[in-house]
Amino acid sequence: MAVRYALQSGHRVTAYVRNARKITEANENLTIIQGDICDEQKMIKALAGQDAVVWCVGIPMKKSYQKMESLEGHKTLIKAMEANRVKRLVDWGTPSVHFSKDKKSLITVVPGIIAGIVFTQAKKEMVAIAKVLQESNLDWTLVRFMAPQDTCYTGNVKVGFGDTKMKFSISREDIGAFMIKMLESDTYIHSMPIIGS
């Protein structure tokens, strides 16, 4: 989704993906590079000449998952960004990752409890990723959301830190569009906004 909205916004996009066949967009401003998220040299080459990165790699929500591959991928990404002097990163997580601006509410408390019980390893990895970002020299934004849905784009995204009433569910289309909008805004640099509908 993020690729589509980046292209619609007029960006030149380099999509670094594990499986090139999953990219269905066709555009003269789109370059597709297939590679592993832990391949530092390939990622360094892919980031040459880029202005920003939008990270859309998911973390498996399985009890058997133990690899922490996304965390290692983030460490590789940060090195590749530093090598190319790319500062801006828009990333994603869930409200199970606590942020200093969070107000105690359903959306800031319940996800952490559920993840701690059901998705222990995924939560551990997300928290570790947030820590790595906060310790980096990047201009990062971590967009947090709870229940992505395969529904149509609405453009009606609510943003908050537990202080805004919103539904947990949100369209994947809206998530992608919001992440791309963050490339053109410094409102949430070094911040972790929660989005919902």
Side-chain angles (χ1 to χ4, degrees), residues 28-66:
E28 62 181 12
N29 289 325
L30 174 62
T31 300
I32 301 171
I33 299 175
Q34 186 166 304
D36 189 271
I37 59 172
C38 295
D39 187 334
E40 186 176 334
Q41 292 308 310
K42 196 160 189 178
M43 199 176 282
I44 286 172
K45 288 180 182 177
L47 286 177
Q50 308 300 324
D51 297 316
V53 174
V54 178
W55 179 275
C56 299
V57 181
I59 297 173
M61 298 296 178
K62 298 176 182 176
K63 286 188 177 182
S64 59
Y65 174 70
Q66 298 292 326

PDB file of all heavy atoms in Angstrom, residues 28-66:
ATOM      1  N   GLU A  28       6.868   4.052 -14.087  1.00  0.00           N
ATOM      2  CA  GLU A  28       8.226   4.417 -14.522  1.00  0.00           C
ATOM      3  C   GLU A  28       9.072   4.981 -13.387  1.00  0.00           C
ATOM      4  O   GLU A  28      10.297   5.014 -13.468  1.00  0.00           O
ATOM      5  CB  GLU A  28       8.158   5.440 -15.668  1.00  0.00           C
ATOM      6  CG  GLU A  28       7.491   6.758 -15.293  1.00  0.00           C
ATOM      7  CD  GLU A  28       7.411   7.733 -16.452  1.00  0.00           C
ATOM      8  OE1 GLU A  28       7.661   7.323 -17.598  1.00  0.00           O
ATOM      9  OE2 GLU A  28       7.096   8.913 -16.185  1.00  0.00           O
ATOM     10  N   ASN A  29       8.417   5.402 -12.299  1.00  0.00           N
ATOM     11  CA  ASN A  29       9.132   5.929 -11.136  1.00  0.00           C
ATOM     12  C   ASN A  29       9.394   4.858 -10.075  1.00  0.00           C
ATOM     13  O   ASN A  29       9.794   5.175  -8.956  1.00  0.00           O
ATOM     14  CB  ASN A  29       8.358   7.091 -10.506  1.00  0.00           C
ATOM     15  CG  ASN A  29       8.390   8.323 -11.375  1.00  0.00           C
ATOM     16  OD1 ASN A  29       9.393   8.603 -12.038  1.00  0.00           O
ATOM     17  ND2 ASN A  29       7.288   9.066 -11.403  1.00  0.00           N
ATOM     18  N   LEU A  30       9.150   3.594 -10.421  1.00  0.00           N
ATOM     19  CA  LEU A  30       9.333   2.496  -9.479  1.00  0.00           C
ATOM     20  C   LEU A  30      10.484   1.594  -9.911  1.00  0.00           C
ATOM     21  O   LEU A  30      10.512   1.097 -11.038  1.00  0.00           O
ATOM     22  CB  LEU A  30       8.051   1.665  -9.373  1.00  0.00           C
ATOM     23  CG  LEU A  30       8.116   0.380  -8.537  1.00  0.00           C
ATOM     24  CD1 LEU A  30       8.448   0.679  -7.079  1.00  0.00           C
ATOM     25  CD2 LEU A  30       6.804  -0.395  -8.650  1.00  0.00           C
ATOM     26  N   THR A  31      11.429   1.385  -8.992  1.00  0.00           N
ATOM     27  CA  THR A  31      12.517   0.428  -9.187  1.00  0.00           C
ATOM     28  C   THR A  31      12.366  -0.658  -8.132  1.00  0.00           C
ATOM     29  O   THR A  31      12.176  -0.351  -6.948  1.00  0.00           O
ATOM     30  CB  THR A  31      13.899   1.105  -9.022  1.00  0.00           C
ATOM     31  OG1 THR A  31      14.018   2.146  -9.984  1.00  0.00           O
ATOM     32  CG2 THR A  31      15.025   0.105  -9.214  1.00  0.00           C
ATOM     33  N   ILE A  32      12.436  -1.901  -8.538  1.00  0.00           N
ATOM     34  CA  ILE A  32      12.287  -3.017  -7.607  1.00  0.00           C
ATOM     35  C   ILE A  32      13.615  -3.743  -7.456  1.00  0.00           C
ATOM     36  O   ILE A  32      14.235  -4.119  -8.445  1.00  0.00           O
ATOM     37  CB  ILE A  32      11.201  -4.002  -8.081  1.00  0.00           C
ATOM     38  CG1 ILE A  32       9.849  -3.285  -8.206  1.00  0.00           C
ATOM     39  CG2 ILE A  32      11.087  -5.187  -7.121  1.00  0.00           C
ATOM     40  CD1 ILE A  32       8.773  -4.113  -8.868  1.00  0.00           C
ATOM     41  N   ILE A  33      14.052  -3.906  -6.210  1.00  0.00           N
ATOM     42  CA  ILE A  33      15.275  -4.640  -5.907  1.00  0.00           C
ATOM     43  C   ILE A  33      14.925  -5.767  -4.949  1.00  0.00           C
ATOM     44  O   ILE A  33      14.342  -5.530  -3.892  1.00  0.00           O
ATOM     45  CB  ILE A  33      16.345  -3.728  -5.269  1.00  0.00           C
ATOM     46  CG1 ILE A  33      16.734  -2.603  -6.240  1.00  0.00           C
ATOM     47  CG2 ILE A  33      17.575  -4.542  -4.855  1.00  0.00           C
ATOM     48  CD1 ILE A  33      17.685  -1.581  -5.651  1.00  0.00           C
ATOM     49  N   GLN A  34      15.264  -6.983  -5.328  1.00  0.00           N
ATOM     50  CA  GLN A  34      14.992  -8.131  -4.461  1.00  0.00           C
ATOM     51  C   GLN A  34      16.210  -8.414  -3.593  1.00  0.00           C
ATOM     52  O   GLN A  34      17.337  -8.480  -4.089  1.00  0.00           O
ATOM     53  CB  GLN A  34      14.644  -9.359  -5.303  1.00  0.00           C
ATOM     54  CG  GLN A  34      14.204 -10.552  -4.473  1.00  0.00           C
ATOM     55  CD  GLN A  34      13.538 -11.626  -5.318  1.00  0.00           C
ATOM     56  OE1 GLN A  34      12.575 -11.366  -6.014  1.00  0.00           O
ATOM     57  NE2 GLN A  34      14.057 -12.838  -5.241  1.00  0.00           N
ATOM     58  N   GLY A  35      15.982  -8.559  -2.292  1.00  0.00           N
ATOM     59  CA  GLY A  35      17.099  -8.822  -1.399  1.00  0.00           C
ATOM     60  C   GLY A  35      16.628  -9.179  -0.005  1.00  0.00           C
ATOM     61  O   GLY A  35      15.455  -9.034   0.331  1.00  0.00           O
ATOM     62  N   ASP A  36      17.542  -9.614   0.798  1.00  0.00           N
ATOM     63  CA  ASP A  36      17.267  -9.993   2.184  1.00  0.00           C
ATOM     64  C   ASP A  36      17.441  -8.774   3.084  1.00  0.00           C
ATOM     65  O   ASP A  36      18.318  -7.948   2.853  1.00  0.00           O
ATOM     66  CB  ASP A  36      18.229 -11.099   2.617  1.00  0.00           C
ATOM     67  CG  ASP A  36      17.851 -11.677   3.965  1.00  0.00           C
ATOM     68  OD1 ASP A  36      18.326 -11.136   4.983  1.00  0.00           O
ATOM     69  OD2 ASP A  36      17.096 -12.651   4.001  1.00  0.00           O
ATOM     70  N   ILE A  37      16.625  -8.671   4.121  1.00  0.00           N
ATOM     71  CA  ILE A  37      16.699  -7.496   4.995  1.00  0.00           C
ATOM     72  C   ILE A  37      17.951  -7.478   5.866  1.00  0.00           C
ATOM     73  O   ILE A  37      18.254  -6.463   6.490  1.00  0.00           O
ATOM     74  CB  ILE A  37      15.443  -7.348   5.892  1.00  0.00           C
ATOM     75  CG1 ILE A  37      15.235  -8.580   6.784  1.00  0.00           C
ATOM     76  CG2 ILE A  37      14.218  -7.067   5.059  1.00  0.00           C
ATOM     77  CD1 ILE A  37      14.127  -8.416   7.814  1.00  0.00           C
ATOM     78  N   CYS A  38      18.677  -8.594   5.891  1.00  0.00           N
ATOM     79  CA  CYS A  38      19.910  -8.630   6.675  1.00  0.00           C
ATOM     80  C   CYS A  38      21.161  -8.592   5.796  1.00  0.00           C
ATOM     81  O   CYS A  38      22.272  -8.766   6.290  1.00  0.00           O
ATOM     82  CB  CYS A  38      19.931  -9.866   7.574  1.00  0.00           C
ATOM     83  SG  CYS A  38      18.629  -9.846   8.841  1.00  0.00           S
ATOM     84  N   ASP A  39      20.983  -8.345   4.492  1.00  0.00           N
ATOM     85  CA  ASP A  39      22.099  -8.250   3.554  1.00  0.00           C
ATOM     86  C   ASP A  39      22.581  -6.803   3.512  1.00  0.00           C
ATOM     87  O   ASP A  39      22.062  -5.977   2.757  1.00  0.00           O
ATOM     88  CB  ASP A  39      21.662  -8.717   2.162  1.00  0.00           C
ATOM     89  CG  ASP A  39      22.812  -8.811   1.162  1.00  0.00           C
ATOM     90  OD1 ASP A  39      23.821  -8.082   1.333  1.00  0.00           O
ATOM     91  OD2 ASP A  39      22.706  -9.588   0.209  1.00  0.00           O
ATOM     92  N   GLU A  40      23.566  -6.488   4.343  1.00  0.00           N
ATOM     93  CA  GLU A  40      24.006  -5.102   4.509  1.00  0.00           C
ATOM     94  C   GLU A  40      24.525  -4.483   3.211  1.00  0.00           C
ATOM     95  O   GLU A  40      24.152  -3.344   2.878  1.00  0.00           O
ATOM     96  CB  GLU A  40      25.088  -5.024   5.591  1.00  0.00           C
ATOM     97  CG  GLU A  40      25.488  -3.601   5.935  1.00  0.00           C
ATOM     98  CD  GLU A  40      26.491  -3.543   7.071  1.00  0.00           C
ATOM     99  OE1 GLU A  40      26.528  -4.465   7.901  1.00  0.00           O
ATOM    100  OE2 GLU A  40      27.239  -2.551   7.125  1.00  0.00           O
ATOM    101  N   GLN A  41      25.355  -5.185   2.474  1.00  0.00           N
ATOM    102  CA  GLN A  41      25.934  -4.621   1.255  1.00  0.00           C
ATOM    103  C   GLN A  41      24.876  -4.346   0.196  1.00  0.00           C
ATOM    104  O   GLN A  41      24.913  -3.305  -0.468  1.00  0.00           O
ATOM    105  CB  GLN A  41      27.024  -5.560   0.703  1.00  0.00           C
ATOM    106  CG  GLN A  41      28.258  -5.647   1.581  1.00  0.00           C
ATOM    107  CD  GLN A  41      28.831  -4.279   1.938  1.00  0.00           C
ATOM    108  OE1 GLN A  41      29.048  -3.426   1.070  1.00  0.00           O
ATOM    109  NE2 GLN A  41      29.051  -4.038   3.225  1.00  0.00           N
ATOM    110  N   LYS A  42      23.925  -5.254   0.046  1.00  0.00           N
ATOM    111  CA  LYS A  42      22.864  -5.053  -0.937  1.00  0.00           C
ATOM    112  C   LYS A  42      21.953  -3.907  -0.532  1.00  0.00           C
ATOM    113  O   LYS A  42      21.501  -3.118  -1.367  1.00  0.00           O
ATOM    114  CB  LYS A  42      22.052  -6.336  -1.120  1.00  0.00           C
ATOM    115  CG  LYS A  42      21.199  -6.321  -2.385  1.00  0.00           C
ATOM    116  CD  LYS A  42      20.804  -7.718  -2.797  1.00  0.00           C
ATOM    117  CE  LYS A  42      20.159  -7.694  -4.176  1.00  0.00           C
ATOM    118  NZ  LYS A  42      19.804  -9.052  -4.644  1.00  0.00           N
ATOM    119  N   MET A  43      21.703  -3.796   0.774  1.00  0.00           N
ATOM    120  CA  MET A  43      20.854  -2.708   1.248  1.00  0.00           C
ATOM    121  C   MET A  43      21.559  -1.360   1.094  1.00  0.00           C
ATOM    122  O   MET A  43      20.925  -0.354   0.767  1.00  0.00           O
ATOM    123  CB  MET A  43      20.440  -2.955   2.703  1.00  0.00           C
ATOM    124  CG  MET A  43      19.223  -2.137   3.118  1.00  0.00           C
ATOM    125  SD  MET A  43      18.649  -2.482   4.787  1.00  0.00           S
ATOM    126  CE  MET A  43      17.758  -4.010   4.555  1.00  0.00           C
ATOM    127  N   ILE A  44      22.845  -1.322   1.317  1.00  0.00           N
ATOM    128  CA  ILE A  44      23.615  -0.088   1.123  1.00  0.00           C
ATOM    129  C   ILE A  44      23.491   0.383  -0.331  1.00  0.00           C
ATOM    130  O   ILE A  44      23.242   1.558  -0.604  1.00  0.00           O
ATOM    131  CB  ILE A  44      25.097  -0.283   1.507  1.00  0.00           C
ATOM    132  CG1 ILE A  44      25.244  -0.346   3.032  1.00  0.00           C
ATOM    133  CG2 ILE A  44      25.970   0.855   0.950  1.00  0.00           C
ATOM    134  CD1 ILE A  44      26.629  -0.729   3.511  1.00  0.00           C
ATOM    135  N   LYS A  45      23.608  -0.557  -1.269  1.00  0.00           N
ATOM    136  CA  LYS A  45      23.474  -0.219  -2.692  1.00  0.00           C
ATOM    137  C   LYS A  45      22.060   0.259  -3.015  1.00  0.00           C
ATOM    138  O   LYS A  45      21.875   1.204  -3.770  1.00  0.00           O
ATOM    139  CB  LYS A  45      23.820  -1.433  -3.560  1.00  0.00           C
ATOM    140  CG  LYS A  45      25.304  -1.766  -3.585  1.00  0.00           C
ATOM    141  CD  LYS A  45      25.569  -2.981  -4.468  1.00  0.00           C
ATOM    142  CE  LYS A  45      27.052  -3.345  -4.451  1.00  0.00           C
ATOM    143  NZ  LYS A  45      27.333  -4.573  -5.259  1.00  0.00           N
ATOM    144  N   ALA A  46      21.067  -0.402  -2.430  1.00  0.00           N
ATOM    145  CA  ALA A  46      19.664  -0.036  -2.687  1.00  0.00           C
ATOM    146  C   ALA A  46      19.329   1.357  -2.178  1.00  0.00           C
ATOM    147  O   ALA A  46      18.486   2.061  -2.747  1.00  0.00           O
ATOM    148  CB  ALA A  46      18.736  -1.067  -2.044  1.00  0.00           C
ATOM    149  N   LEU A  47      20.000   1.792  -1.097  1.00  0.00           N
ATOM    150  CA  LEU A  47      19.700   3.095  -0.499  1.00  0.00           C
ATOM    151  C   LEU A  47      20.509   4.238  -1.110  1.00  0.00           C
ATOM    152  O   LEU A  47      20.299   5.395  -0.743  1.00  0.00           O
ATOM    153  CB  LEU A  47      19.950   3.047   1.014  1.00  0.00           C
ATOM    154  CG  LEU A  47      18.897   2.283   1.823  1.00  0.00           C
ATOM    155  CD1 LEU A  47      19.280   2.242   3.290  1.00  0.00           C
ATOM    156  CD2 LEU A  47      17.532   2.911   1.658  1.00  0.00           C
ATOM    157  N   ALA A  48      21.399   3.932  -2.026  1.00  0.00           N
ATOM    158  CA  ALA A  48      22.200   4.987  -2.667  1.00  0.00           C
ATOM    159  C   ALA A  48      21.281   5.969  -3.393  1.00  0.00           C
ATOM    160  O   ALA A  48      20.433   5.581  -4.186  1.00  0.00           O
ATOM    161  CB  ALA A  48      23.184   4.366  -3.650  1.00  0.00           C
ATOM    162  N   GLY A  49      21.421   7.245  -3.062  1.00  0.00           N
ATOM    163  CA  GLY A  49      20.630   8.285  -3.716  1.00  0.00           C
ATOM    164  C   GLY A  49      19.229   8.477  -3.164  1.00  0.00           C
ATOM    165  O   GLY A  49      18.459   9.293  -3.681  1.00  0.00           O
ATOM    166  N   GLN A  50      18.869   7.757  -2.116  1.00  0.00           N
ATOM    167  CA  GLN A  50      17.524   7.883  -1.540  1.00  0.00           C
ATOM    168  C   GLN A  50      17.473   9.017  -0.514  1.00  0.00           C
ATOM    169  O   GLN A  50      18.481   9.364   0.098  1.00  0.00           O
ATOM    170  CB  GLN A  50      17.107   6.568  -0.875  1.00  0.00           C
ATOM    171  CG  GLN A  50      17.229   5.335  -1.753  1.00  0.00           C
ATOM    172  CD  GLN A  50      16.390   5.395  -3.007  1.00  0.00           C
ATOM    173  OE1 GLN A  50      15.289   5.923  -3.001  1.00  0.00           O
ATOM    174  NE2 GLN A  50      16.905   4.846  -4.094  1.00  0.00           N
ATOM    175  N   ASP A  51      16.282   9.560  -0.328  1.00  0.00           N
ATOM    176  CA  ASP A  51      16.082  10.641   0.647  1.00  0.00           C
ATOM    177  C   ASP A  51      15.471  10.146   1.951  1.00  0.00           C
ATOM    178  O   ASP A  51      15.612  10.790   2.991  1.00  0.00           O
ATOM    179  CB  ASP A  51      15.158  11.722   0.057  1.00  0.00           C
ATOM    180  CG  ASP A  51      15.766  12.389  -1.163  1.00  0.00           C
ATOM    181  OD1 ASP A  51      16.970  12.707  -1.123  1.00  0.00           O
ATOM    182  OD2 ASP A  51      15.044  12.589  -2.151  1.00  0.00           O
ATOM    183  N   ALA A  52      14.750   9.023   1.890  1.00  0.00           N
ATOM    184  CA  ALA A  52      14.044   8.536   3.070  1.00  0.00           C
ATOM    185  C   ALA A  52      13.718   7.059   2.900  1.00  0.00           C
ATOM    186  O   ALA A  52      13.794   6.515   1.789  1.00  0.00           O
ATOM    187  CB  ALA A  52      12.757   9.330   3.283  1.00  0.00           C
ATOM    188  N   VAL A  53      13.340   6.430   4.023  1.00  0.00           N
ATOM    189  CA  VAL A  53      12.964   5.011   4.023  1.00  0.00           C
ATOM    190  C   VAL A  53      11.619   4.855   4.724  1.00  0.00           C
ATOM    191  O   VAL A  53      11.373   5.456   5.771  1.00  0.00           O
ATOM    192  CB  VAL A  53      14.018   4.157   4.764  1.00  0.00           C
ATOM    193  CG1 VAL A  53      13.542   2.704   4.889  1.00  0.00           C
ATOM    194  CG2 VAL A  53      15.361   4.204   4.049  1.00  0.00           C
ATOM    195  N   VAL A  54      10.745   4.044   4.118  1.00  0.00           N
ATOM    196  CA  VAL A  54       9.499   3.630   4.771  1.00  0.00           C
ATOM    197  C   VAL A  54       9.586   2.117   4.947  1.00  0.00           C
ATOM    198  O   VAL A  54       9.684   1.372   3.978  1.00  0.00           O
ATOM    199  CB  VAL A  54       8.269   3.994   3.923  1.00  0.00           C
ATOM    200  CG1 VAL A  54       6.990   3.502   4.609  1.00  0.00           C
ATOM    201  CG2 VAL A  54       8.195   5.502   3.693  1.00  0.00           C
ATOM    202  N   TRP A  55       9.606   1.666   6.192  1.00  0.00           N
ATOM    203  CA  TRP A  55       9.778   0.245   6.517  1.00  0.00           C
ATOM    204  C   TRP A  55       8.413  -0.411   6.657  1.00  0.00           C
ATOM    205  O   TRP A  55       7.587   0.026   7.464  1.00  0.00           O
ATOM    206  CB  TRP A  55      10.557   0.106   7.825  1.00  0.00           C
ATOM    207  CG  TRP A  55      10.782  -1.298   8.287  1.00  0.00           C
ATOM    208  CD1 TRP A  55       9.926  -2.067   9.018  1.00  0.00           C
ATOM    209  CD2 TRP A  55      11.955  -2.106   8.065  1.00  0.00           C
ATOM    210  NE1 TRP A  55      10.489  -3.304   9.278  1.00  0.00           N
ATOM    211  CE2 TRP A  55      11.735  -3.356   8.697  1.00  0.00           C
ATOM    212  CE3 TRP A  55      13.170  -1.895   7.408  1.00  0.00           C
ATOM    213  CZ2 TRP A  55      12.677  -4.373   8.693  1.00  0.00           C
ATOM    214  CZ3 TRP A  55      14.107  -2.915   7.403  1.00  0.00           C
ATOM    215  CH2 TRP A  55      13.856  -4.133   8.032  1.00  0.00           C
ATOM    216  N   CYS A  56       8.161  -1.456   5.871  1.00  0.00           N
ATOM    217  CA  CYS A  56       6.854  -2.120   5.891  1.00  0.00           C
ATOM    218  C   CYS A  56       6.956  -3.626   6.135  1.00  0.00           C
ATOM    219  O   CYS A  56       6.037  -4.374   5.812  1.00  0.00           O
ATOM    220  CB  CYS A  56       6.125  -1.872   4.568  1.00  0.00           C
ATOM    221  SG  CYS A  56       5.795  -0.143   4.205  1.00  0.00           S
ATOM    222  N   VAL A  57       8.070  -4.083   6.676  1.00  0.00           N
ATOM    223  CA  VAL A  57       8.277  -5.514   6.921  1.00  0.00           C
ATOM    224  C   VAL A  57       7.568  -5.915   8.212  1.00  0.00           C
ATOM    225  O   VAL A  57       7.759  -5.298   9.256  1.00  0.00           O
ATOM    226  CB  VAL A  57       9.786  -5.849   7.011  1.00  0.00           C
ATOM    227  CG1 VAL A  57       9.980  -7.349   7.246  1.00  0.00           C
ATOM    228  CG2 VAL A  57      10.512  -5.400   5.740  1.00  0.00           C
ATOM    229  N   GLY A  58       6.783  -6.963   8.133  1.00  0.00           N
ATOM    230  CA  GLY A  58       6.032  -7.408   9.300  1.00  0.00           C
ATOM    231  C   GLY A  58       6.825  -8.337  10.202  1.00  0.00           C
ATOM    232  O   GLY A  58       7.890  -8.831   9.840  1.00  0.00           O
ATOM    233  N   ILE A  59       6.297  -8.549  11.391  1.00  0.00           N
ATOM    234  CA  ILE A  59       6.853  -9.510  12.355  1.00  0.00           C
ATOM    235  C   ILE A  59       5.862 -10.665  12.481  1.00  0.00           C
ATOM    236  O   ILE A  59       4.683 -10.433  12.747  1.00  0.00           O
ATOM    237  CB  ILE A  59       7.067  -8.856  13.737  1.00  0.00           C
ATOM    238  CG1 ILE A  59       8.095  -7.723  13.633  1.00  0.00           C
ATOM    239  CG2 ILE A  59       7.510  -9.893  14.763  1.00  0.00           C
ATOM    240  CD1 ILE A  59       8.242  -6.927  14.911  1.00  0.00           C
ATOM    241  N   PRO A  60       6.288 -11.909  12.276  1.00  0.00           N
ATOM    242  CA  PRO A  60       5.367 -13.048  12.381  1.00  0.00           C
ATOM    243  C   PRO A  60       4.704 -13.129  13.761  1.00  0.00           C
ATOM    244  O   PRO A  60       5.381 -13.046  14.777  1.00  0.00           O
ATOM    245  CB  PRO A  60       6.274 -14.265  12.140  1.00  0.00           C
ATOM    246  CG  PRO A  60       7.412 -13.726  11.335  1.00  0.00           C
ATOM    247  CD  PRO A  60       7.639 -12.330  11.866  1.00  0.00           C
ATOM    248  N   MET A  61       3.394 -13.252  13.754  1.00  0.00           N
ATOM    249  CA  MET A  61       2.647 -13.356  15.007  1.00  0.00           C
ATOM    250  C   MET A  61       2.418 -14.828  15.351  1.00  0.00           C
ATOM    251  O   MET A  61       1.298 -15.322  15.372  1.00  0.00           O
ATOM    252  CB  MET A  61       1.308 -12.613  14.883  1.00  0.00           C
ATOM    253  CG  MET A  61       1.463 -11.134  14.629  1.00  0.00           C
ATOM    254  SD  MET A  61       2.269 -10.286  16.021  1.00  0.00           S
ATOM    255  CE  MET A  61       2.345  -8.613  15.383  1.00  0.00           C
ATOM    256  N   LYS A  62       3.517 -15.541  15.561  1.00  0.00           N
ATOM    257  CA  LYS A  62       3.444 -16.967  15.890  1.00  0.00           C
ATOM    258  C   LYS A  62       4.221 -17.233  17.168  1.00  0.00           C
ATOM    259  O   LYS A  62       5.306 -16.681  17.357  1.00  0.00           O
ATOM    260  CB  LYS A  62       4.051 -17.799  14.760  1.00  0.00           C
ATOM    261  CG  LYS A  62       3.333 -17.674  13.423  1.00  0.00           C
ATOM    262  CD  LYS A  62       4.078 -18.460  12.355  1.00  0.00           C
ATOM    263  CE  LYS A  62       3.414 -18.311  10.996  1.00  0.00           C
ATOM    264  NZ  LYS A  62       4.184 -19.005   9.934  1.00  0.00           N
ATOM    265  N   LYS A  63       3.691 -18.098  18.001  1.00  0.00           N
ATOM    266  CA  LYS A  63       4.382 -18.444  19.252  1.00  0.00           C
ATOM    267  C   LYS A  63       5.704 -19.158  18.979  1.00  0.00           C
ATOM    268  O   LYS A  63       6.643 -19.069  19.768  1.00  0.00           O
ATOM    269  CB  LYS A  63       3.481 -19.312  20.133  1.00  0.00           C
ATOM    270  CG  LYS A  63       2.347 -18.531  20.781  1.00  0.00           C
ATOM    271  CD  LYS A  63       1.607 -19.374  21.790  1.00  0.00           C
ATOM    272  CE  LYS A  63       0.533 -18.553  22.488  1.00  0.00           C
ATOM    273  NZ  LYS A  63      -0.191 -19.316  23.519  1.00  0.00           N
ATOM    274  N   SER A  64       5.773 -19.846  17.827  1.00  0.00           N
ATOM    275  CA  SER A  64       6.980 -20.607  17.502  1.00  0.00           C
ATOM    276  C   SER A  64       8.096 -19.726  16.929  1.00  0.00           C
ATOM    277  O   SER A  64       9.231 -20.164  16.801  1.00  0.00           O
ATOM    278  CB  SER A  64       6.637 -21.703  16.486  1.00  0.00           C
ATOM    279  OG  SER A  64       6.104 -21.131  15.301  1.00  0.00           O
ATOM    280  N   TYR A  65       7.765 -18.478  16.580  1.00  0.00           N
ATOM    281  CA  TYR A  65       8.750 -17.583  15.957  1.00  0.00           C
ATOM    282  C   TYR A  65       9.798 -17.147  16.977  1.00  0.00           C
ATOM    283  O   TYR A  65       9.466 -16.624  18.031  1.00  0.00           O
ATOM    284  CB  TYR A  65       8.036 -16.361  15.386  1.00  0.00           C
ATOM    285  CG  TYR A  65       8.944 -15.288  14.847  1.00  0.00           C
ATOM    286  CD1 TYR A  65       9.680 -15.476  13.688  1.00  0.00           C
ATOM    287  CD2 TYR A  65       9.064 -14.065  15.514  1.00  0.00           C
ATOM    288  CE1 TYR A  65      10.507 -14.492  13.192  1.00  0.00           C
ATOM    289  CE2 TYR A  65       9.891 -13.069  15.018  1.00  0.00           C
ATOM    290  CZ  TYR A  65      10.612 -13.285  13.864  1.00  0.00           C
ATOM    291  OH  TYR A  65      11.438 -12.302  13.370  1.00  0.00           O
ATOM    292  N   GLN A  66      11.069 -17.370  16.684  1.00  0.00           N
ATOM    293  CA  GLN A  66      12.143 -17.043  17.614  1.00  0.00           C
ATOM    294  C   GLN A  66      13.285 -16.242  16.976  1.00  0.00           C
ATOM    295  O   GLN A  66      14.215 -15.848  17.668  1.00  0.00           O
ATOM    296  CB  GLN A  66      12.725 -18.332  18.217  1.00  0.00           C
ATOM    297  CG  GLN A  66      11.738 -19.140  19.034  1.00  0.00           C
ATOM    298  CD  GLN A  66      11.326 -18.457  20.321  1.00  0.00           C
ATOM    299  OE1 GLN A  66      12.114 -17.748  20.943  1.00  0.00           O
ATOM    300  NE2 GLN A  66      10.078 -18.646  20.713  1.00  0.00           N
TER     301      GLN A  66
END
